């Protein structure tokens, strides 16, 4: 596929990242509002988990359809419609006064947020290819995920005592309208094909089925389901309560831990691309290393959190962030290795929902665990211990499953910088030699005897 060669492609990429930041902020904002929402909406921890989890569930449900529509009509119109829906549902959520109204608005928000993710990934694939795509994908996940998470987990606690939480979502919608304007004016729709016949529709459905049932895609879906289910549920819903339960009462220290975890994810997103392209020249080794790091660091904060000071706890949370940050660019690079460009929308629409479904399931399950084993309090160390052990076992299972993922990086992609440098050096030497021979021929000092052939 010919890549889009717009002069303002980096401005377009900046708009893409800003939209991803806003989507992450909207999803993760619950972590900083749990105490306020439980009072204002009169909900318990199970209902709170359902409120947050349903957003992820509807976000996942819509994505396969979004992927198909993105391949058919192009990324821009789907993104425009979905982003506008997010802004409207955010304003609607600010008007919620009870559990039912909040449930409806968050469900709508999940549908529209799910409509943005696939067009965003498709646009990056249209603007950048090869190793550049992997690098920009790392920047997209790193910057977008980190900044959005920090704004939600650190920014909201700072301002929620000054302004009402409902006003935060109204401001979000107003600022989003400015981004919507630049999205509409700065990004072009790169629609190369339009399928209208019944035959093409049937072939696309068959192709989607083949992609969904392939071994690599199934393994990738399971990795996303468990890793992001565990990580986003912990970071996006329970981490502040977890730290407070383990005697970290200072909001300043909690912010340090949250920032460290987010910066870890930011670093991991870049590290995943670097390890894949520059160090190991493969996909599976960085993936398995990141999963092992995730298991070890999660094991420490599960078994001995009471003996860890805030410094050691922050380091372990940072390692968890790095480990999960490596996973996304590596797995999406595997998808682009095995799926042709014209089917990226469908493939992303099949794979990406697994992370959101995992988040939905783990938020519901962890909320139920905390509710069942709370010992008469809102949260207890025993309930958190059981929750963390459940997540730990899940991570061990998925690490074992990842061993069945085969290497997909081609030898052309796998070419090292040393071999490339050697080829350039040899080419320069050959040019110099040919030039010298030509000079000697012109001076009459060298005679090259022509080769006799049967053909003139």
């Amino acid at each position: 596929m010919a890549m889009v060669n717009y002069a303002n492609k980096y401005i377009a990429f900046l708009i893409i990242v800003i939209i991803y930041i806003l989507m992450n902020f909207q999803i993760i904002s619950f972590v900083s509002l749990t105490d306020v929402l439980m009072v204002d909406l009169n909900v318990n921890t199970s209902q709170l988990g359902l409120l947050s989890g349903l957003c992820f569930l509807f976000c996942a449900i819509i994505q396969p359809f979004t992927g198909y529509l993105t391949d058919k009509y192009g990324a821009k119109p789907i993104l425009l419609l979905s982003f506008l829906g997010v802004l409207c549902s955010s304003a609607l959520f600010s008007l919620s006064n009870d559990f039912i109204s909040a449930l409806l608005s968050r469900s709508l928000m999940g549908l529209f947020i799910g409509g943005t993710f696939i067009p965003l990934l498709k646009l990056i694939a249209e603007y950048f290819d090869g190793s550049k795509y992997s690098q920009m994908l790392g920047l997209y996940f790193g910057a977008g995920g980190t900044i959005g998470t920090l704004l939600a987990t650190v920014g909201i606690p700072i301002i929620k005592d000054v302004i009402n939480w409902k006003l935060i979502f109204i401001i979000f919608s107003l600022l989003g309208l400015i981004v919507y304007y630049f999205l509409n004016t700065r990004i072009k729709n790169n629609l190369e094909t339009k399928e209208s016949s019944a035959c093409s529709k049937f072939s696309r459905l068959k192709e989607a089925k083949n992609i969904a049932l392939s071994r690599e895609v199934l393994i990738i879906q399971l990795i996303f389901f468990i890793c992001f289910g565990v990580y986003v549920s912990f970071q996006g819903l329970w981490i502040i309560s977890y730290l407070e339960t383990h005697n970290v009462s200072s909001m300043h220290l909690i912010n340090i831990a949250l920032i460290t975890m987010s910066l870890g994810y930011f670093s991991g997103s870049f590290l995943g691309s670097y390890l894949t392209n520059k160090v190991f020249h493969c996909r599976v080794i960085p993936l398995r290393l990141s999963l092992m790091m995730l298991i070890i660091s999660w094991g420490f904060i599960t078994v001995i959190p009471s003996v860890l000071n805030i410094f050691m706890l922050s380091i372990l949370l940072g390692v968890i962030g790095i480990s999960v940050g490596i996973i996304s660019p590596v797995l999406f690079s595997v998808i682009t290795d095995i799926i042709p460009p014209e089917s990226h929308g469908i493939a992303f629409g099949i794979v990406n929902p697994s992370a959101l479904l995992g988040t939905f399931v783990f938020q519901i399950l962890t909320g139920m665990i905390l509710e069942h084993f709370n010992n008469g309090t809102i949260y207890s160390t025993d309930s958190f211990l059981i929750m963390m052990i459940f997540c730990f076992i899940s991570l061990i299972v998925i690490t074992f499953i990842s061993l069945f993922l085969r290497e997909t990086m081609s030898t052309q992609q796998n070419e090292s910088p040393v071999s490339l440098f050697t080829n350039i050096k040899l080419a320069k030497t050959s040019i110099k030699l040919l030039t010298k021979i030509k000079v000697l021929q012109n001076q009459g000092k060298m005679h090259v005897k022509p080769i006799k052939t049967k053909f003139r």
Side-chain angles (χ1 to χ4, degrees):
M1 180 181 69
M3 301 305 296
V4 183
N5 190 24
Y6 303 141
N8 62 342
K9 67 179 181 178
Y10 286 101
I11 296 176
F13 180 74
L14 178 62
I15 296 170
I16 292 169
V17 171
I18 290 173
I19 294 173
Y20 188 57
I21 289 171
L22 295 176
M23 297 305 100
N24 274 280
F25 170 84
Q26 194 64 255
I27 290 179
I28 305 294
S29 57
F30 256 56
V31 70
S32 302
L33 296 171
T34 53
D35 53 341
V36 178
L37 293 175
M38 288 179 73
V39 174
D40 286 6
L41 301 178
N42 192 24
V43 295
N44 56 35
T45 53
S46 295
Q47 290 173 318
L48 193 66
L50 183 63
L51 266 179
S52 182
L54 271 181
C55 182
F56 288 94
L57 175 64
F58 284 104
C59 186
I61 289 173
I62 198 66
Q63 289 195 48
F65 304 100
T66 307
Y68 171 75
L69 293 173
T70 300
D71 282 339
K72 184 173 183 179
Y73 298 109
K76 183 180 177 180
I78 307 302
L79 183 57
L80 283 170
L81 178 62
S82 301
F83 188 46
L84 184 61
V86 173
L87 302 181
C88 294
S89 55
S90 176
L92 189 62
F93 180 64
S94 69
L95 303 175
S96 302
N97 292 314
D98 54 28
F99 175 69
I100 299 299
S101 59
L103 195 68
L104 291 172
S105 59
R106 288 296 290 183
S107 299
L108 277 175
M109 187 177 294
L111 283 172
F112 287 117
I113 288 176
T116 65
F117 286 145
I118 304 306
L120 291 172
L121 289 170
K122 180 82 171 177
L123 282 171
I124 297 174
E126 289 175 357
Y127 280 97
F128 306 96
D129 63 349
S131 61
K132 194 68 176 176
Y133 170 76
S134 180
Q135 294 170 14
M136 301 311 287
L137 200 62
L139 180 60
Y140 168 78
F141 283 119
T146 302
I147 298 173
T149 301
L150 286 176
L151 287 174
T153 57
V154 179
I156 289 181
I158 294 174
I159 64 174
K160 73 177 181 179
D161 294 330
V162 180
I163 62 175
N164 188 277
W165 66 269
K166 296 183 177 184
L167 188 58
I168 294 173
F169 290 95
I170 294 175
I171 294 172
F172 171 92
S173 298
L174 294 175
L175 292 176
L177 288 174
I178 300 173
V179 181
Y180 184 87
Y181 167 78
F182 285 104
L183 168 64
N184 191 32
T185 56
R186 291 286 185 171
I187 292 182
K188 296 182 181 179
N189 197 34
N190 183 43
L191 181 58
E192 295 182 345
T193 58
K194 184 177 179 179
E195 302 166 29
S196 56
S197 66
C199 179
S200 67
K201 290 178 182 178
F202 177 78
S203 65
R204 296 297 278 178
L205 289 173
K206 186 178 179 180
E207 183 182 16
K209 180 182 176 181
N210 292 335
I211 292 172
L213 295 179
S214 68
R215 187 181 71 171
E216 281 70 30
V217 171
L218 285 172
I219 294 173
I220 289 171
Q221 286 178 300
L222 287 172
I223 295 172
F224 272 129
F225 183 89
I226 291 181
C227 289
F228 280 83
V230 169
Y231 178 78
V232 179
S233 296
F234 183 62
Q235 187 196 36
L237 201 56
W238 308 121
I239 186 170
I240 292 178
S241 303
Y242 170 82
L243 293 172
E244 289 175 344
T245 304
H246 289 87
N247 301 320
V248 183
S249 57
S250 170
M251 201 62 212
H252 175 68
L253 296 177
I254 290 175
N255 285 340
I256 291 175
L258 290 171
I259 291 171
T260 305
M261 194 173 190
S262 298
L263 290 178
Y265 183 85
F266 179 76
S267 304
S269 298
F270 286 103
L271 192 59
S273 174
Y274 179 78
L275 291 175
T276 298
N277 297 316
K278 303 296 184 182
V279 179
F280 296 108
H281 309 293
C282 67
R283 311 286 190 205
V284 296
I285 293 178
L287 175 64
R288 291 167 187 168
L289 283 176
S290 66
L291 288 171
M292 289 302 299
M293 289 166 54
L294 182 57
I295 287 176
I296 294 170
S297 52
W298 194 275
F300 273 111
I301 66 170
T302 299
V303 179
I304 54 170
S306 57
V307 300
L308 298 173
N309 56 33
I310 187 63
F311 176 73
M312 289 300 299
L313 199 58
S314 297
I315 290 178
L316 289 172
L317 291 174
V319 173
I320 290 174
I322 291 172
S323 305
V324 178
I326 291 173
I327 292 171
S328 289
V330 171
L331 291 184
F332 275 108
S333 294
V334 171
I335 292 297
T336 56
D337 288 343
I338 61 178
I339 305 297
E342 61 272 14
S343 300
H344 281 171
I346 290 178
F348 293 151
I350 292 171
V351 171
N352 206 51
S354 56
L356 302 163
L357 283 172
T359 302
F360 166 73
V361 171
F362 274 87
Q363 285 191 344
I364 298 297
L365 291 176
T366 53
M368 291 172 62
I369 290 171
L370 293 175
E371 183 75 18
H372 185 73
F373 298 98
N374 59 12
N375 295 332
T377 59
I378 297 179
Y379 303 109
S380 68
T381 53
D382 291 339
S383 61
F384 268 115
L385 176 62
I386 295 170
M387 185 197 83
M388 298 294 283
I389 291 174
F390 168 70
C391 295
F392 181 68
I393 293 172
S394 302
L395 292 173
I396 291 176
V397 171
I398 198 57
T399 302
F400 174 74
I401 292 174
S402 71
L403 299 176
F404 296 96
L405 185 68
R406 68 180 178 87
E407 180 56 53
T408 60
M409 196 171 189
S410 66
T411 52
Q412 211 171 23
Q413 292 171 302
N414 200 16
E415 188 175 19
S416 67
V418 175
S419 62
L420 181 62
F421 175 78
T422 303
N423 289 337
I424 293 172
K425 190 174 180 180
L426 286 172
K428 289 181 177 179
T429 304
S430 300
I431 291 171
K432 288 180 180 179
L433 184 60
L434 289 172
T435 304
K436 191 172 183 180
I437 290 173
K438 188 70 175 175
V439 170
L440 291 173
Q441 282 181 318
N442 292 337
Q443 293 176 352
K445 296 180 180 180
M446 178 178 285
H447 176 69
V448 180
K449 187 178 181 180
I451 300 173
K452 293 181 180 180
T453 63
K454 294 189 295 181
F455 304 101
R456 291 187 180 273

